[in-house]
Structures are given as structure tokens and as C-alpha cells.
Amino acid sequence: MYYISNRSPLPESSVIVRGKNLVPQVYQILYKSIISLWLKPGQPLREKEICKQLQISRTPVREALLKLADERLIVILDRSGTYVSRINIEDVKESQFIRESMETATVRYAVKNYNTDLSEKLSLLLEQQKQCVKDDNRLRLSELDDMFHRTIVEFRFSSRIWKIINNAKAQMDRVRILALPLPRRATEIVEEHSKIFEALCSGNETQAVDAMSFHLNTVFTSLEQLLEKHQEYFEE
């Protein structure tokens, strides 16, 4: 239903760097293709075509697919093949719970230790996001959304915390990308980020936590609309 025969199985930008470990590279290419919805929920994955495009053997592709299956992003069925998993609502709820728990804690810390450097970084990201809304560049807006959150998380903590959040939010990210074309959603993202930024600047810990919590909970509002519009992308 979703597979288009004259379309490359992966984005044309997918490139393998020779001389480096192939499995992590293939994993990242497939992971980003799934999260960005280049590979849509329910779409079949054909190892042979992926190998042909990346010009590699099947072994690293299979190993990457096994890792993605363990993360519930793909489904491997012995007789009927390999498919991108449909979005599971319970997985989305779990992703959101982990994100909210960790990011409200990190934004609380950011308020207490706020400085000019963080202010300048977040201000620049907001300006870039506003430009994306004007240009209707939704994919770039999604990337800048991640950068905004990561900047706050890594303000005083190592990248390990962001890695934990990033690994946990994969299912939630697919809903976020799917929701971007909804009316006003792109504008709302920037508005929600602006409220977080304003609370940080004012040193209001309660407002910052509330603004972050509200922003991360909008995924559920989007879900209601998406279940009607793209029912085929979700598990029954």
C-alpha cells in the first residue's frame, strides 16, 4: 500500500562512509528514515533494495534491522517479510512520560543556573524556527525543535541524558513529524518554545516547568486528529 516502486528505498542523501563500522551507519540511516516518515508505518522493507542502494552486503543491514526490531520500530515476520512498525499508542504514552519526567527536571535546573550563553543559544534557535514557519520548512523545524530541547538538557549535563531521552522518544517523534502539517501546529511549536524561553529568562521555575509540560503534552491533542486522518499508520 505504501511502497512506491520507482522511489529509492532510502533518501538519496543516504551515504555509507567506507572504512568505518557499517552497522551503526546503516542503523542511523534506517532510524532517521523511519522517524522522518520517509519510511511510513506499515511499509515493507526489502533488504536486497537497501543493500543495492547503499552498495553493501546483507550482513550489516540485517544486524541494523534486528536492532530496530528490538526498539519496536520495525517488525520482522518469518513468512511475510519485514515492515516498518505501525505506531503503538501505548509506546507513545511511554515515550511522552519519560520525556516529560526528564525534561521538566532539566528545565528546572536550567532556570536556577540560567546565563547569557544559554539565552543567546535559545534566542537564535527561536529565530531560526520562526523563519522555518515562514518558509514552511517543516523538516528543518523538527530538527530545530530537537536542538532547542537538547540545548536545555545539555546546558549543565553530559550528552548521556539527551541520549536517554532521544532513545526513549522515537515513537513520540513519529507522531510529532506526522502532526507538523496539521493547521497551525508549526506556529504553535514556536509559540510553546517561546513561553519556555520567556519563563527561563524571567527566572520563573514554576512557569518554565508548566510551559515544558504543556508543550510535551500537546502530542496527545495531535493524536486525536491523526487517528482520524491517518488511521492506517496506527496499530488497531
Side-chain angles (χ1 to χ4, degrees):
M1 180 178 179
Y2 307 106
Y3 185 70
I4 304 173
S5 59
N6 62 352
R7 183 194 196 202
S8 299
L10 300 169
E12 292 181 7
S13 59
S14 303
V15 177
I16 290 293
V17 178
R18 305 295 166 180
K20 292 188 176 182
N21 193 335
L22 294 178
V23 178
Q25 294 186 70
V26 177
Y27 169 83
Q28 280 298 322
I29 289 170
L30 288 168
Y31 178 89
K32 290 179 180 178
S33 298
I34 292 169
I35 298 303
S36 68
L37 300 179
W38 173 273
L39 295 172
K40 294 177 172 54
Q43 179 175 328
L45 295 174
R46 296 181 173 85
E47 287 184 23
K48 187 175 180 181
E49 293 179 355
I50 294 171
C51 294
K52 182 179 178 181
Q53 183 176 347
L54 298 179
Q55 298 183 341
I56 57 176
S57 68
R58 285 196 173 188
T59 300
V61 173
R62 285 175 180 169
E63 289 187 31
L65 289 173
L66 286 171
K67 186 175 180 182
L68 289 164
D70 189 53
E71 295 174 359
R72 298 167 62 90
L73 288 172
I74 67 166
V75 178
I76 300 174
L77 302 174
D78 291 336
R79 295 187 177 182
S80 55
T82 301
Y83 300 83
V84 178
S85 67
R86 287 183 169 82
I87 300 169
N88 182 289
I89 302 299
E90 290 304 312
D91 286 345
V92 175
K93 290 179 180 178
E94 184 179 83
S95 292
Q96 191 279 338
F97 177 81
I98 294 170
R99 258 197 104 166
E100 185 176 6
S101 299
M102 298 190 76
E103 292 200 48
T104 50
T106 54
V107 80
R108 190 188 302 275
Y109 186 89
V111 171
K112 294 176 180 177
N113 298 274
Y114 200 66
N115 62 20
T116 304
D117 182 54
L118 180 59
S119 178
E120 291 176 351
K121 287 178 180 178
L122 294 179
S123 179
L124 177 59
L125 287 169
L126 279 172
E127 289 306 312
Q128 292 173 335
Q129 289 173 26
K130 289 173 184 176
Q131 189 60 49
C132 284
V133 173
K134 291 179 182 178
D135 298 340
D136 196 27
N137 190 341
R138 294 166 187 165
L139 189 56
R140 179 56 180 163
L141 176 60
S142 177
E143 293 171 353
L144 290 167
D145 184 350
D146 266 359
M147 290 172 67
F148 183 88
H149 288 269
R150 183 172 184 169
T151 299
I152 294 172
V153 170
E154 294 187 345
F155 171 50
R156 280 291 183 268
F157 295 97
S158 70
S159 59
R160 184 173 62 174
I161 292 180
W162 178 252
K163 286 179 182 177
I164 294 170
I165 293 171
N166 198 46
N167 289 338
K169 71 186 182 69
Q171 298 295 349
M172 186 178 174
D173 280 348
R174 291 203 287 174
V175 175
R176 286 174 51 242
I177 297 292
L178 197 57
L180 279 174
L182 292 176
R184 276 192 51 77
R185 184 57 202 143
T187 300
E188 289 169 352
I189 288 171
V190 180
E191 291 173 351
E192 290 159 17
H193 284 172
S194 295
K195 289 180 180 178
I196 295 169
F197 178 63
E198 288 165 9
L200 282 165
C201 290
S202 66
N204 193 315
E205 186 178 320
T206 301
Q207 284 185 9
V209 170
D210 288 348
M212 179 65 78
S213 181
F214 177 86
H215 173 56
L216 294 176
N217 272 280
T218 54
V219 68
F220 297 124
T221 304
S222 300
L223 263 177
E224 294 176 8
Q225 300 176 65
L226 295 173
L227 282 167
E228 293 182 8
K229 190 173 183 180
H230 299 289
Q231 187 178 3
E232 70 277 12
Y233 290 167
F234 293 85
E235 284 188 6
E236 296 181 2

